[in-house]
Amino acid sequence: DQSLSATPETLIEALGIRNLAQSAELVLTACLDREETRSGHLRTDFPKTDNARFGHSFTYRCGEMGEPDRQILNYRKPEEAA
């Protein structure tokens, strides 16, 4: 059955699907971690903006074991962080 054979095209398609799944997991993890409403990110269970806890950006990457790894990017001056 040729439909199940591995070809460069099927490999590229499989890698594309894997990348989409990883991207979706990282986006959903970031959405769930931001327990506030900010700009276009609306959470009905957290309707207010919380600058004390979330006045920064964070990035997610796949960790060594494939798990989401969060990095906080704090752009505020140290005196503003308090």
Side-chain angles (χ1 to χ4, degrees):
D1 184 5
Q2 292 292 348
S3 65
L4 298 177
S5 63
T7 65
E9 290 79 17
T10 59
L11 175 61
I12 290 170
E13 186 174 345
L15 291 173
I17 292 169
R18 184 197 66 185
N19 290 343
L20 286 171
Q22 285 178 337
S23 296
E25 179 184 21
L26 293 172
V27 167
L28 291 173
T29 300
C31 289
L32 291 173
D33 277 358
R34 186 170 289 281
E35 296 177 339
E36 67 162 354
T37 291
R38 183 174 298 269
S39 188
H41 177 83
L42 173 67
R43 295 236 358 213
T44 56
D45 52 344
F46 296 97
K48 305 249 188 235
T49 298
D50 185 353
N51 287 328
R53 288 183 59 212
F54 298 104
H56 58 267
S57 296
F58 37 87
T59 64
Y60 284 86
R61 296 189 173 124
C62 281
E64 291 182 23
M65 303 301 289
E67 77 288 354
D69 179 31
R70 181 168 97 166
Q71 302 287 319
I72 293 177
L73 306 173
N74 192 348
Y75 301 111
R76 293 183 290 171
K77 297 175 185 170
E79 62 272 9
E80 294 175 348

